[in-house]
Amino acid sequence: MSSAVLQLLWGAVVLAAAATWALLAVRLGRTDGRGSASRTRGARSARPGPGDWGLVAAGAALLAARGGIVAALAAASVVFVQDRAWGLALSAVTAVAAVAAIALRLRVGPAFAGGAAVAAGAELMLVVVVGAPVPLWAGLAVTAAVVAATVVWAFVRLGTGRRPLAATIAAATVAVAALAAVGVGVVGRGALAQEGFQTHGHGAAPGTAAADAVAPPATPPSIPVSQLAGEPDAGAPRVSVVLRAQRQTIDLGAGAAVEAWTFGGLAGPAIVATEGDVLDVTLENVDVEAGVTAHWHGYPVPAAADGVAGVTQDAVRPGESFRTAFTLTRPGTYWYHTHQRGSEGVVRGLYGTLVVQPAGGQAEDVDVVLPVHTFGRTVVLGDSAGEQRTTAREGQSVRVRLINTDQQPQRFTVAGAPFRVLALDGADVETHEARDAAVEVPAGGRVDIGFRMPQAAVAVRAAASGTAAMVFATGDSPAPAAAAKDGRAFDPLTDVTASAPPDAATAAAIARAAASGGFDVDETYALDRLPRVVGGVPQYAYTVNGAVYPFVPSTVVGEGDVVRLTVVNRGFETHPMHPHGHTVRVLAVDGAAPASPLWLDTFDVGPGEVWEVAFVADNPGIWMDHCHNLEHAALGMVMHIAYRGVSTPFAHGGPAGNAPE
């Protein structure tokens, strides 16, 4: 049974336990109220009936069931049970006290049964409001709320004789008020850890507006991230690009048009360069009031070129421009997009593609880039929502570069020829040949596929659309029927037989650390959805270790460190996690290692899943690490990998209105 299912089952059992103990408390109270004076005199209570003992047995069984579920979840990751274990201990103590009081026929028996009901409710609150890890103050406050409710119930019960309703109302009022106060304390603070990437020595230089608004200066003085720009080779070939961010109406094909924000047309300029070139980019904001940046998704750029508003630069406002240049050191398929209010800007069209060919030039006869994007309800593949055609002759080699610029995983089908997956997130891989199969790409991810052109046509389709397709054919050959979109999809964890690491030294360092367990930095991220304050507004937020951006403490590293990240999804939505500036090796998913070493920069952490990944800290800077469902990022799921000795002069918000999701 998956961890996600176990969590749902746990919730159902807790609710049943709360109802069981509450019903028992009501039954016992009513029995005492109807009992004779001789039966209720002194500290003795009415004798429990068979129905009462049946509820006691049910409460005990539900407690044991929760213990079993918590043990099963703990086997997957302790992160699933840090909050549940506290609540379970609280429920166990109150249940034992209730059973003892009922067995001894004490008049406080109903109060203790009510306390057990409140404890079960507190269990639920610890998970759905507080989250993991449970801060000591919150755990103690919840415990105090349960104890207070039980004590009030007992005192009112003893003092009111045959008026159990008064005891119930008083205790319920205390319990609700106390637990609500804890909840307001947790939610109102906006985060359980009030330190973000701007602290820990990564704040702005003294005397700047950013320093005054965010955090004390670093001590000793550190290098501003804006100075980590690299040194492009002045003699290298230069590819110059101008990106003009503007609002415009664009034709999506198939009779559809949309008001969009673009970098100069649908899917922006398609940038194609060669390994060793210097990419020289000028970003101009024509009229996008929200501001823009250009982030090079998946590419190991110098930190100053990362294009994240409030971290590596200020957002570019209308009428302003920003220029950067960096050497292209790694071939592969990448893309670029705004990282200023990305949950709106990217969705509305501020994205484009980047292909870096190997130093020897294009390897395949036909090389096509197909970003997929959804505008409203219209799915666009490449630059059209309809069928497109590319000429390919029989026997030619074809590479199709699939890029998912959307917020959710996208599935593609290939019909008409067997194919292989050639690369994942820019890294070459070896795989077995597949036919009439599907390829699923995480949000922000890239998958290159290749095939040998047959005599008939081949069609690559976006499964989310009934019309968007790229047909490879000579002349007017009809497109083949679509492959089943719900068939088996390529699984990188099992279907990759070999993959190319970023470099041999990185691969060796991670292999040594994995074999010995000797990681220099070992962090765990608990991904969840909890009520929090985001940007001053109460939200049902997406949290990391119970906190929301900008209050999630950074993963602090030193240059050369080998870092392991354990990412635990406690929620019920998929989170495509994307660390900037680095490629990670997947060590394990739910405890199972991939069939072959796997290198990614965007990986889908499904509901209840536990991913272990590792990277070498070889690119100094301050790097976002976030969910690439940008709506989740906008609601808090953003943290940072921050190198010691690096600071940022930029701030969240401020005059530039920086909003780096």
Side-chain angles (χ1 to χ4, degrees), residues 407-501:
Q407 311 299 295
Q408 300 290 340
Q410 285 281 5
R411 182 170 285 221
F412 302 85
T413 62
V414 183
F419 70 93
R420 296 179 187 272
V421 171
L422 304 178
L424 298 171
D425 287 356
D428 290 343
V429 297
E430 295 180 11
T431 62
H432 296 296
E433 193 173 73
R435 178 183 289 273
D436 293 331
V439 176
E440 192 161 287
V441 185
R446 291 90 59 215
V447 176
D448 294 12
I449 63 171
F451 56 87
R452 184 69 60 179
M453 189 65 196
Q455 185 176 22
V458 177
V460 178
R461 294 181 171 88
S465 169
T467 58
M470 177 63 73
V471 179
F472 297 85
T474 299
D476 297 327
S477 301
K485 64 181 180 181
D486 56 354
R488 182 188 183 277
F490 169 81
D491 184 352
L493 298 175
T494 58
D495 296 342
V496 171
T497 58
S499 62

Side-chain angles (χ1 to χ4, degrees), residues 217-521:
T219 304
S222 54
I223 301 172
V225 69
S226 53
Q227 293 184 12
L228 298 173
E231 297 181 2
D233 184 355
R238 200 162 273 254
V239 176
S240 297
V241 178
V242 177
L243 304 178
R244 292 186 176 88
Q246 58 192 317
R247 308 163 73 99
Q248 63 181 134
T249 300
I250 55 175
D251 182 3
L252 303 180
V258 68
E259 293 292 327
W261 301 352
T262 79
F263 281 123
L266 181 57
I271 302 173
V272 180
T274 302
E275 184 180 8
D277 290 350
V278 172
L279 183 59
D280 190 332
V281 181
T282 300
L283 170 62
E284 299 175 353
N285 186 350
V286 178
D287 58 3
V288 178
E289 291 294 332
V292 297
T293 67
H295 163 66
W296 306 92
H297 185 108
Y299 213 81
V301 297
D306 197 38
V308 178
V311 181
T312 67
Q313 66 176 87
D314 281 328
V316 180
R317 313 305 303 183
E320 298 178 348
S321 64
F322 181 86
R323 184 179 177 185
T324 187
F326 51 89
T327 302
L328 298 170
T329 58
R330 187 181 299 174
T333 305
Y334 305 92
W335 65 298
Y336 60 91
H337 61 82
T338 186
H339 234 307
Q340 161 70 3
R341 287 179 57 179
S343 60
E344 181 180 15
V346 177
V347 169
R348 297 189 68 167
L350 286 171
Y351 70 93
T353 62
L354 169 64
V355 171
V356 182
Q357 297 286 0
Q362 179 175 313
E364 285 76 26
D365 299 313
V366 179
D367 194 325
V368 175
V369 185
L370 290 181
V372 66
H373 196 80
T374 303
F375 291 91
R377 297 182 179 180
T378 303
V379 177
V380 174
L381 186 61
D383 58 6
S384 176
E387 182 178 295
Q388 306 162 76
R389 300 182 76 86
T390 293
T391 299
R393 298 190 304 274
E394 183 180 358
Q396 285 189 317
S397 58
V398 179
R399 179 184 287 255
V400 184
R401 302 173 187 263
L402 304 171
I403 304 174
N404 184 3
T405 69
D406 269 343
Q407 311 299 295
Q408 300 290 340
Q410 285 281 5
R411 182 170 285 221
F412 302 85
T413 62
V414 183
F419 70 93
R420 296 179 187 272
V421 171
L422 304 178
L424 298 171
D425 287 356
D428 290 343
V429 297
E430 295 180 11
T431 62
H432 296 296
E433 193 173 73
R435 178 183 289 273
D436 293 331
V439 176
E440 192 161 287
V441 185
R446 291 90 59 215
V447 176
D448 294 12
I449 63 171
F451 56 87
R452 184 69 60 179
M453 189 65 196
Q455 185 176 22
V458 177
V460 178
R461 294 181 171 88
S465 169
T467 58
M470 177 63 73
V471 179
F472 297 85
T474 299
D476 297 327
S477 301
K485 64 181 180 181
D486 56 354
R488 182 188 183 277
F490 169 81
D491 184 352
L493 298 175
T494 58
D495 296 342
V496 171
T497 58
S499 62
D503 58 76
T506 295
I510 293 176
R512 286 194 299 269
S516 65
F519 292 95
D520 300 301
V521 178

Side-chain angles (χ1 to χ4, degrees), residues 16-45:
T20 298
W21 288 111
L23 179 59
L24 178 61
V26 171
R27 281 177 58 91
L28 291 173
R30 288 177 176 174
T31 299
D32 283 356
R34 293 194 301 268
S36 66
S38 62
R39 294 181 64 189
T40 59
R41 184 179 295 115
R44 303 291 284 176
S45 177

Side-chain angles (χ1 to χ4, degrees), residues 38-88:
S38 62
R39 294 181 64 189
T40 59
R41 184 179 295 115
R44 303 291 284 176
S45 177
R47 187 184 303 278
D52 300 323
W53 284 116
L55 289 172
V56 169
L62 290 168
L63 181 66
R66 299 206 297 288
I69 294 170
V70 167
L73 286 170
S77 173
V78 69
V79 174
F80 288 118
V81 301
Q82 290 169 328
D83 44 359
R84 290 178 172 88
W86 190 302
L88 183 65

Side-chain angles (χ1 to χ4, degrees), residues 106-132:
L106 301 179
R107 286 187 61 196
V108 293
F112 281 20
V118 175
E123 273 191 82
L124 198 61
M125 179 192 169
L126 282 167
V127 173
V128 302
V129 177
V130 178

Side-chain angles (χ1 to χ4, degrees), residues 183-220:
V184 169
V186 171
V187 175
R189 293 180 66 192
L192 299 181
Q194 293 295 305
E195 294 183 325
F197 78 96
Q198 299 280 12
T199 60
H200 304 293
H202 302 295
T208 66
D212 297 338
V214 181
T219 304

